[in-house]
Amino acid sequence: MKTQTAYNFPDANGKFGIYGGKFVPETLISALDELEKLYRAARQEKEFQDELDLLQREYNGRPTPLTFAKRLTDHYGKAKIYLKREDLCHTGAHKLNNALGQILLAKKLGKTRIIAETGAGQHGVATATVCAKFGLECVVYMGEVDIERQKLNVFRMKMLGAEVIPVKSGSKTLKDATNEAIRDWVTNVSDTHYIIGSVVGPHPYPMIVRDFQSVIGAETKEQIKSFENRLPDYVVACVGGGSNAIGIFYPFIDDENVKLIGVEAAGYGLDSGKHCATLTLGEPGVFQGMKTYLLQDANGQISAVHSISAGLDYPGVGPEHSLLKDIERVKYASVTDNEALDATLQLSKLEGILPALETAHAIAYLNKLMPTTNKDELVAVNISGRGDKDLNTIISQIGEKVL
Amino acid sequence: MKKILEHIEQVNKSGRKALSIFLTTGFPEKENFVELATTVLDSGADMLEIGIPFSDPLADGPVIQASSQAALENGITLKDVFYYCDKISVKTDKPLILMGYANPILKYGIKNFCKDAQSSGVSGLIVPDVPLEEYESFYADDFKNFEKILLTTPTSSDERIKAIDQQSEGFVYCVSVTGTTGIKSNFDENVLKNLERTYSLVNKNKMLIGFGIANAENIKTFAPYCDGVIVGSAVIKKISEAKSFSEVGEFVKSLSAACAK
């Protein structure tokens, strides 16, 4: 591994090495500048941190547990496996960590209207939740394909008082919902704050979302130290846009002996052309405000991608992951739809935890990782969300296996 | 290559505001695109903005999004864009400007892009997802022979508008409203105030107003605050609805007439 003497990104220009930046229409520059200035000040303020900590504790339910997975560990008979339980966050996934932080920023900015994009619906639900709690108007953009496969979350958002706008353009999934949210923001920037749900988009979003999510890794570090008196040997997380992964990786980046592994969605298989393995098979380009690895065709058009999990169904990835790949600090692997479905059943039956299909990609990678580990090693897996939202998809895919 | 700035100066000297018309390459059809472009130029457009279709045009509203999607379905690539620019540029003395998003240009390769754009008679470039902050990272030396046009918006501060004016070449593209491209047709007092502010701050360059212009009346409203106007969505919509290119030509003539004093 090439070592970094001091990992300190993004730089003053919002770049992670050559990645990131602000590739957006001029209209948004002033809002991005204002957001960055306000955020940099807020994170130094004790009052802001105290308010956020209180919300994380008393509303979100943090700290989330780090659960020793005894039967899963016995199943492989190798390293000990710990599960970081973001599925136990209020609303069922890590997404609320970020939404809580950003709603406080929106309040400070004096914005009265909140917009968000969502794929699996977890970020949409988290945003609708904080808007309900703080009494702000909420509009969520969601692709028509995702609305169909995540009906439960659409209903939840509506119950929480959000308006869900179906996106009919392009592939009708997360990337198109993001385009539509950006177009809304360009139009209504004076009264609207855009709560981006992952570590993607223009600077300062990848930094802000990472910082709010890194509570996951910070807690994991303390918890595993208290159980084992040392750091884990491996940390594993799924990667779509990459917010849960950055959240758990970031506090470990300077701990060079901790191996970090991001697991992408290989869909029907890497050679099928129908996958979302952006870091595995993509190449650098510019998309949705950032320079980053992308899945694109020979003419630079963004590819139609596929994953069984709506939350990973995205042709780009957070720019910090692009840097972490290039400097070889994180290893990126991938698993298929079918491997993820099997892992969903496996974790349900062995640990009594039904993971989200996104999360199941990280679990599925254990089949590849565990045989290479030793009994005295430790593996931490980020259980980024729970799988209740995916029951329709799971029933239609493997219903007969369960019955 | 024709210089855009000089061309606008000439048009203004003749007592007219410059009229720039946006067309999406290969829309509505590949086969007669050169004929469409020639019709628009012959009907009084002073220059053309040739759109490079992109799968994810996030600065564009529904009309241009749809034309971009249709062009991609017609199989348009950057190679085709250069082919048509070449065919159009030999027929006219008016400048051609390419307008497109960063990614297809990066994928084509900066060196190849610049070489092919130059040899097909392109004078300038507008890349809406490359603001001042990314100017250095995107516009390598290879772009030195093109006039690189930057945009201002109602959210740009006075200092930024001055900086954009310093960096921009050809003209400054003043976006009339916050929002995506599309037909707006009524503009309130704040819009006009902002145009007046921007026009007073743009001193090095000529300034053209774009976004939202629907008709001749809008052009007359904007005329005191600019050196020219850009019409995109309204023309694309007309192309979609028109039974013949001559109808498109008539519409452009009405816009051109409004550009005369």
Side-chain angles (χ1 to χ4, degrees):
Chain A
M1 198 187 82
K2 291 171 208 160
T3 52
Q4 284 280 312
T5 45
Y7 184 89
N8 188 15
F9 296 99
D11 66 18
N13 297 317
K15 297 279 166 100
F16 300 86
I18 62 165
Y19 302 105
K22 282 184 187 170
F23 291 90
V24 289
E26 169 70 18
T27 308
L28 296 181
I29 294 290
S30 67
L32 293 170
D33 287 351
E34 186 189 16
L35 176 62
E36 180 176 3
K37 205 173 144 201
L38 180 118
Y39 171 68
R40 287 189 187 280
R43 71 175 176 186
Q44 308 293 336
E45 278 170 26
K46 188 172 179 301
E47 201 179 319
F48 178 84
Q49 285 304 337
D50 287 350
E51 189 178 5
L52 182 57
D53 287 351
L54 184 70
L55 283 166
Q56 295 290 17
R57 197 170 61 238
E58 305 299 338
Y59 188 67
N60 194 5
R62 303 208 72 87
T64 58
L66 184 70
T67 306
F68 172 53
K70 182 166 188 312
R71 293 191 69 212
L72 190 63
T73 299
D74 291 347
H75 170 77
Y76 291 108
K78 295 282 192 172
K80 283 171 85 171
I81 302 167
Y82 282 90
L83 308 175
K84 180 57 176 168
R85 301 293 305 284
E86 294 301 297
D87 59 313
L88 296 178
C89 284
H90 178 41
T91 73
H94 70 291
K95 293 293 186 189
L96 196 66
N97 303 333
N98 167 51
L100 280 171
Q102 285 208 47
I103 200 81
L104 295 185
L105 295 178
K107 263 190 5 175
K108 274 180 171 286
L109 288 163
K111 302 289 170 96
T112 55
R113 179 174 176 268
I114 300 295
I115 56 169
E117 84 297 339
T118 198
Q122 287 304 110
H123 174 58
V125 167
T127 304
T129 298
V130 296
C131 287
K133 182 158 177 60
F134 287 89
L136 297 180
E137 182 189 350
C138 181
V139 174
V140 179
Y141 289 91
M142 188 169 187
E144 272 191 339
V145 169
D146 292 339
I147 285 181
E148 184 54 35
R149 59 181 165 174
Q150 308 279 207
K151 268 186 193 153
L152 194 64
N153 273 343
V154 176
F155 196 73
R156 286 170 79 192
M157 286 184 268
K158 290 185 176 172
M159 284 182 68
L160 291 160
E163 182 188 357
V164 180
I165 299 185
V167 175
K168 303 173 204 296
S169 58
S171 57
K172 304 179 178 67
T173 59
L174 179 55
K175 103 176 157 73
D176 311 285
T178 307
N179 286 339
E180 239 16 85
I182 293 173
R183 289 181 186 122
D184 180 313
W185 202 33
V186 170
T187 309
N188 300 300
V189 66
S190 63
D191 69 346
T192 299
H193 176 64
Y194 177 18
I195 300 190
I196 292 188
S198 191
V199 285
V200 298
H203 179 68
Y205 280 106
M207 170 181 76
I208 291 177
V209 179
R210 173 197 72 193
D211 290 356
F212 288 143
Q213 290 295 357
S214 61
V215 65
I216 304 171
E219 286 177 10
T220 303
K221 209 168 185 176
E222 290 313 308
Q223 289 164 323
I224 203 152
K225 272 191 205 161
S226 75
F227 292 140
E228 300 284 349
N229 222 2
R230 67 184 190 88
L231 295 180
D233 299 281
Y234 298 90
V235 176
V236 184
C238 65
V239 178
S243 70
N244 90 82
I246 282 285
I248 197 165
F249 292 165
Y250 187 64
F252 290 103
I253 283 180
D254 288 332
D255 301 306
E256 286 178 20
N257 294 324
V258 180
K259 297 174 196 73
L260 307 174
I261 302 167
V263 186
E264 299 191 299
Y268 296 129
L270 290 180
D271 51 7
S272 69
K274 293 191 170 176
H275 59 78
C276 310
T278 309
L279 290 160
T280 309
L281 292 178
E283 59 191 324
V286 168
F287 175 56
Q288 293 184 339
M290 57 184 166
K291 184 164 193 178
T292 192
Y293 277 81
L294 297 177
L295 292 168
Q296 55 179 317
D297 71 11
N299 298 307
Q301 308 297 342
I302 307 306
S303 299
V305 294
H306 162 81
S307 170
I308 192 166
S309 86
L312 304 183
D313 202 345
Y314 184 67
V317 68
E320 189 160 17
H321 285 290
S322 295
L323 172 68
L324 291 169
K325 173 192 161 75
D326 283 5
I327 65 173
E328 298 177 23
R329 179 61 190 95
V330 178
K331 176 186 166 181
Y332 294 91
S334 63
V335 304
T336 63
D337 286 353
N338 286 335
E339 289 173 302
L341 283 165
D342 288 346
T344 306
L345 286 184
Q346 183 190 38
L347 196 69
S348 299
K349 290 194 167 151
L350 290 179
E351 294 295 337
I353 296 169
L354 167 59
L357 285 174
E358 291 78 15
T359 310
H361 286 72
I363 310 292
Y365 184 72
L366 295 178
N367 284 334
K368 294 168 188 170
L369 174 67
M370 296 313 292
T372 71
T373 63
N374 302 317
K375 280 201 165 191
D376 57 357
E377 289 184 310
L378 303 172
V379 176
V381 184
N382 196 10
I383 306 301
S384 54
R386 68 175 189 228
D388 310 53
K389 69 179 176 67
D390 294 316
L391 285 175
N392 283 339
T393 306
I394 294 168
I395 290 165
S396 73
Q397 294 287 325
I398 53 168
E400 69 252 37
K401 256 197 214 179
V402 179
L403 303 170
Chain B
M1 264 187 321
K2 303 100 190 174
K3 284 284 171 202
I4 300 164
L5 180 60
E6 287 166 21
H7 185 73
I8 298 172
E9 277 167 354
Q10 272 177 21
V11 172
N12 288 166
K13 261 181 206 156
S14 74
R16 289 168 37 80
K17 302 294 176 186
L19 176 65
S20 183
I21 298 290
F22 173 90
L23 297 173
T24 301
T25 311
F27 176 82
E29 286 162 343
K30 269 176 112 158
E31 288 69 26
N32 47 18
F33 183 68
V34 175
E35 189 196 328
L36 173 64
T38 318
T39 304
V40 168
L41 287 167
D42 292 347
S43 304
D46 296 301
M47 45 200 190
L48 285 183
E49 282 171 31
I50 306 284
I52 305 167
F54 183 46
S55 55
D56 296 78
L58 52 77
D60 287 304
V63 172
I64 294 179
Q65 277 180 51
S67 69
S68 193
Q69 194 55 42
L72 289 174
E73 280 159 21
N74 291 341
I76 297 294
T77 67
L78 257 173
K79 277 218 171 332
D80 299 304
V81 173
F82 295 132
Y83 171 82
Y84 292 117
C85 285
D86 190 47
K87 297 276 173 210
I88 297 162
S89 69
V90 295
K91 291 175 188 263
T92 182
D93 288 331
K94 298 170 179 175
L96 301 183
I97 301 165
L98 286 183
M99 183 158 187
Y101 293 83
N103 200 56
I105 298 171
L106 290 172
K107 178 68 181 171
Y108 196 83
I110 297 287
K111 278 193 186 348
N112 285 337
F113 176 89
C114 291
K115 183 168 63 80
D116 292 353
Q118 191 161 1
S119 68
S120 55
V122 171
S123 300
L125 289 172
I126 303 170
V127 185
D129 55 350
V130 175
L132 209 51
E133 278 73 5
E134 300 299 343
Y135 189 94
E136 294 291 329
S137 78
F138 185 82
Y139 287 120
D141 279 352
D142 307 79
F143 287 102
K144 64 179 180 296
N145 293 325
F146 300 98
E147 289 169 278
K148 297 168 284 289
I149 295 145
L150 292 173
L151 300 90
T152 67
T153 68
T155 62
S156 310
S157 67
D158 290 2
E159 272 57 51
R160 256 189 99 77
I161 291 171
K162 288 181 196 164
I164 287 166
D165 185 30
Q166 282 310 307
Q167 192 77 70
S168 196
E169 301 160 86
F171 63 90
V172 164
Y173 188 137
C174 172
V175 176
S176 63
V177 290
T178 56
T180 53
T181 56
I183 301 153
K184 304 285 186 307
S185 81
N186 53 3
F187 298 93
D188 64 23
E189 204 179 305
N190 288 334
V191 171
L192 299 182
K193 263 190 197 152
N194 175 62
L195 297 177
E196 192 174 10
R197 171 186 76 113
T198 309
Y199 196 40
S200 74
L201 293 165
V202 172
N203 295 315
K204 190 191 118 192
N205 277 289
K206 293 286 181 178
M207 184 179 110
L208 271 58
I209 299 174
F211 281 42
I213 297 172
N215 50 39
E217 197 187 325
N218 292 156
I219 293 176
K220 285 178 181 155
T221 309
F222 286 171
Y225 315 110
C226 66
D227 305 303
V229 293
I230 301 155
V231 186
S233 295
V235 172
I236 298 288
K237 184 161 173 278
K238 178 63 75 177
I239 293 168
S240 309
E241 293 165 357
K243 292 188 184 69
S244 67
F245 286 168
S246 66
E247 271 182 56
V248 178
E250 289 308 312
F251 181 59
V252 174
K253 277 179 195 164
S254 75
L255 301 176
S256 179
C259 287
K261 257 185 189 161

